[in-house]
């Protein structure tokens, strides 16, 4: 099976180069990997002590950041190497300040794995949540490098638990310790004979809890809000927006809306703005420096990235997008930490924190336009209801902190 896997990786490598000629995202994926070994050779010396963290994308990076920061503090003389698989992670965080070298992870071939590990020569390795690359893991096992999985999630439908998944199960032998989010993941690993496992919880709770300690003020958002009840719509997709725009256009209540779409393609942003009948403004228009009297607008569309977390601090109600697509809803913990009631779409079952908050009734799932209208109308008109649900959300975050300390206490 490993032979077949390696053959598939080689074929994928060939096909990706073709797709890259038509897709800007795939071009980043392919072109971004070309200078990886050169970058590592220039930033990591043979005598350097290093620690390597791998994140699939932006969400996993943010999830692992509390551990990265703590490890950096605990091992101040080690260089930190962070790798990403996805352009959506690397392109946003390639200039982070926590790592000494940030690169794309070369595709999982035996040759790439050997060369990458020779250049990085890590003393410890951390994989965040998932992404189990057999060739990298097999090489780490041969090198006897301490390797950890943090905030891991396992499900019965994964290849490890299939009759044909032997080579994937073999790759798991590389892990010195598994830090998983829940008991069901631990039980699945125990079925494979893995006793080197602990339920630590999700390090994202530690990450979002620290947000409260930072300066989350944005003058232009404060001006726009103007002491008016505000709904923040974060990481929205067209399916979310089709329902939300109808509500925005029809509501007669005194309320403002901030929309931060997941995709900030200029054409899609303009389509969104054109669909809104109320007075709307784009962040890119504000950025020009013109005096637009922001307080006079009803809708503020954020056509940039990197400021949504701070914007959530101004929300009275939050809608988090993605719940009408697959795999489902985006990060609900950022608005939750600010004590904001949350509304999401119906697809959230793969996300433990969303499932828990829906069960606790701090987060409300809606499936159609009528449900959205009813839920929003109730939350807008009932301040007590907003505060009750918001309190559930903030308490949920505070009660689930601590995963980072559990991990650090286990690592020598």
């Amino acid at each position: 099976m490993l032979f077949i896997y390696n053959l598939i990786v080689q074929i994928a490598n060939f096909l990706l180069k073709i797709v890259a000629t038509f897709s800007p995202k795939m071009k980043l994926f392919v072109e971004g990997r070309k200078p990886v070994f050169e970058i590592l050779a220039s930033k990591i010396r043979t005598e350097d002590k290093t620690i390597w963290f791998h994140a699939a994308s932006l969400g996993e990076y943010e999830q692992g950041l509390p551990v990265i920061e703590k490890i950096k503090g605990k091992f101040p003389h080690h260089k930190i190497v962070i790798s990403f698989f996805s352009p959506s992670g690397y392109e946003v965080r390639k200039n982070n300040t926590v790592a000494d070298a940030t690169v794309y992870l070369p595709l999982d071939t035996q040759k790439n794995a050997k060369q990458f590990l020779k250049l990085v020569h890590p003393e410890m390795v951390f994989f965040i949540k998932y992404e189990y690359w057999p060739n990298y893991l097999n090489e780490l096992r041969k090198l006897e490098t301490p390797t950890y999985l943090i905030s891991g999630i396992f499900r019965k439908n994964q290849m490890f638990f299939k009759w044909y998944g032997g080579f994937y199960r073999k790759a798991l032998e590389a892990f010195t310790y598994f830090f998983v989010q829940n008991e069901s993941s631990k039980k699945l690993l125990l079925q494979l004979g893995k006793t080197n496992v602990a339920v630590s919880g999700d390090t994202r709770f530690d990450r979002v809890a620290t947000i409260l300690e930072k300066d989350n003020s944005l003058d232009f958002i404060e001006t726009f809000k103007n002491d008016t009840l505000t709904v923040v719509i974060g990481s929205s997709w067209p399916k979310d927006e089709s329902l939300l725009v109808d509500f925005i256009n029809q509501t007669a209540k005194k309320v403002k809306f901030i929309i931060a779409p997941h995709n900030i393609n200029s054409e899609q942003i303009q389509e969104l703005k054109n669909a809104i009948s109320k007075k709307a403004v784009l962040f890119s228009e504000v950025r020009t420096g013109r005096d637009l009297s922001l307080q006079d607008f009803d809708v503020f569309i954020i056509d940039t990235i990197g400021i949504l977390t701070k914007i959530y601090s101004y929300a009275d109600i939050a809608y988090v997008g993605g719940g009408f697509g697959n795999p489902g809803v985006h990060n609900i913990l950022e608005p939750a930490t600010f004590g904001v009631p949350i509304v999401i779409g119906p697809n959230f079952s793969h996300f433990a924190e969303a499932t828990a908050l829906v069960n606790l009734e701090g987060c409300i799932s809606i499936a159609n336009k009528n449900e959205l209208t009813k839920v929003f109308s109730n939350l807008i008109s009932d301040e007590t209801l907003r505060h009750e649900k918001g309190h559930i959300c903030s308490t949920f975050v505070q009660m689930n902190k601590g995963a980072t300390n559990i991990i650090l206490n286990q690592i020598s």
Side-chain angles (χ1 to χ4, degrees):
M1 286 298 293
L2 184 58
F3 171 78
I4 295 173
Y5 170 82
N6 285 328
L7 181 61
I8 291 172
V9 172
Q10 294 292 352
I11 293 171
N13 186 32
F14 173 75
L15 294 176
L16 284 168
K17 291 176 182 177
I18 298 174
V19 175
T21 61
F22 306 101
S23 168
K25 185 173 182 179
M26 282 301 104
K27 185 174 182 180
L28 289 172
F29 183 95
V30 172
E31 295 296 322
R33 282 171 162 76
K34 289 182 178 180
V36 167
F37 296 133
E38 183 180 338
I39 292 170
L40 291 173
S42 69
K43 295 193 174 184
I44 306 297
R45 297 173 299 179
T46 306
E47 63 270 24
D48 286 335
K49 296 180 178 181
T50 65
I51 300 172
W52 170 34
F53 289 84
H54 175 66
S57 192
L58 181 60
E60 289 71 37
Y61 168 82
E62 297 292 345
Q63 190 167 29
L65 195 54
V67 178
I68 299 172
E69 291 172 339
K70 290 282 187 179
I71 288 289
K72 188 177 178 72
K74 189 172 183 178
F75 300 93
H77 302 299
H78 286 62
K79 286 189 173 180
I80 303 296
V81 177
I82 296 177
S83 63
F84 286 95
F85 184 76
S86 166
S88 58
Y90 177 80
E91 296 301 328
V92 175
R93 289 291 180 262
K94 60 186 176 183
N95 296 318
N96 70 81
T97 57
V98 73
D100 297 280
T102 302
V103 294
Y104 278 102
L105 183 70
L107 290 182
D108 186 34
T109 66
Q110 291 175 321
K111 181 180 178 181
N112 283 345
K114 287 180 179 180
Q115 188 170 357
F116 184 92
L117 291 171
K118 183 180 179 180
L119 289 168
V120 176
H121 51 84
E123 292 190 2
M124 283 188 288
V125 177
F126 296 84
F127 281 69
I128 304 166
K129 190 176 181 180
Y130 54 60
E131 287 217 328
Y132 311 94
W133 300 111
N135 286 312
Y136 281 97
L137 290 172
N138 286 338
E139 290 302 318
L140 287 167
R141 177 174 52 81
K142 292 175 186 176
L143 294 168
E144 299 183 347
T145 305
T147 302
Y148 303 92
L149 177 70
I150 57 177
S151 293
I153 285 280
F154 288 89
R155 298 185 179 89
K156 284 190 283 188
N157 63 351
Q158 289 174 301
M159 193 176 292
F160 312 109
F161 312 106
K162 305 293 186 181
W163 65 267
Y164 51 81
F167 78 102
Y168 253 79
R169 289 191 289 275
K170 181 74 173 176
L172 290 182
E173 294 179 10
F175 286 103
T176 308
Y177 218 84
F178 300 87
F179 296 99
V180 296
Q181 293 187 31
N182 52 40
E183 285 291 341
S184 62
S185 293
K186 180 179 179 179
K187 288 178 181 177
L188 286 169
L189 286 172
L190 289 174
Q191 290 175 17
L192 299 181
K194 307 297 181 187
T195 57
N196 51 333
V197 53
V199 178
S200 60
D202 190 343
T203 52
R204 282 184 302 166
F205 288 98
D206 297 325
R207 173 63 176 157
V208 298
T210 62
I211 292 172
L212 297 176
E213 302 167 8
K214 299 179 179 180
D215 179 7
N216 294 295
S217 60
L218 294 168
D219 291 344
F220 56 92
I221 296 294
E222 195 157 333
T223 301
F224 168 78
K225 182 178 174 73
N226 196 28
D227 294 324
T228 306
L229 191 147
T230 301
V231 177
V232 173
I233 298 162
S235 304
S236 59
W237 289 77
K239 287 185 179 180
D240 302 296
E241 291 158 6
S242 64
L243 302 180
L244 292 159
V245 166
D246 283 346
F247 181 82
I248 291 170
N249 289 340
Q250 294 172 14
T251 185
K253 298 179 183 295
K254 187 180 180 183
V255 57
K256 294 198 172 192
F257 297 87
I258 302 173
I259 309 175
H262 177 76
N263 190 330
I264 57 170
N265 173 276
S266 57
E267 290 183 7
Q268 291 188 15
I269 290 291
Q270 198 58 51
E271 285 180 14
L272 174 61
K273 185 181 180 185
N274 292 342
I276 296 170
S277 59
K278 294 193 173 181
K279 195 173 181 183
V281 64
L282 304 180
F283 175 77
S284 56
E285 295 171 332
V286 176
R287 195 161 43 185
T288 62
R290 290 184 297 158
D291 182 10
L292 294 169
S293 300
L294 277 174
Q295 65 273 14
D296 297 332
F297 288 88
D298 303 301
V299 182
F300 198 166
I301 300 174
I302 309 300
D303 53 343
T304 189
I305 58 174
I307 60 174
L308 176 57
T309 301
K310 291 187 176 185
I311 291 174
Y312 277 133
S313 71
Y314 291 90
D316 296 288
I317 302 165
Y319 179 96
V320 178
F324 283 91
N326 288 308
V329 69
H330 287 280
N331 185 5
I332 67 169
L333 293 181
E334 289 183 351
T337 199
F338 290 112
V340 180
I342 303 164
V343 183
I344 60 175
N347 297 341
F348 60 87
S349 61
H350 283 183
F351 302 89
E353 71 283 359
T355 301
L357 266 180
V358 169
N359 291 336
L360 290 169
E361 299 184 1
C363 178
I364 307 169
S365 172
I366 56 96
N368 52 53
K369 177 183 174 181
N370 289 338
E371 290 183 8
L372 182 143
T373 299
K374 181 180 178 181
V375 168
F376 267 32
S377 297
N378 287 342
L379 288 171
I380 289 170
S381 60
D382 192 335
E383 183 179 1
T384 300
L385 181 66
R386 292 198 304 274
H387 288 167
E388 287 176 352
K389 293 190 177 297
H391 180 69
I392 291 170
C393 290
S394 59
T395 301
F396 175 71
V397 171
Q398 294 299 316
M399 291 294 288
N400 283 281
K401 293 189 303 182
T404 301
N405 287 337
I406 292 173
I407 294 167
L408 266 291
N409 289 338
Q410 178 67 35
I411 296 168
S412 57

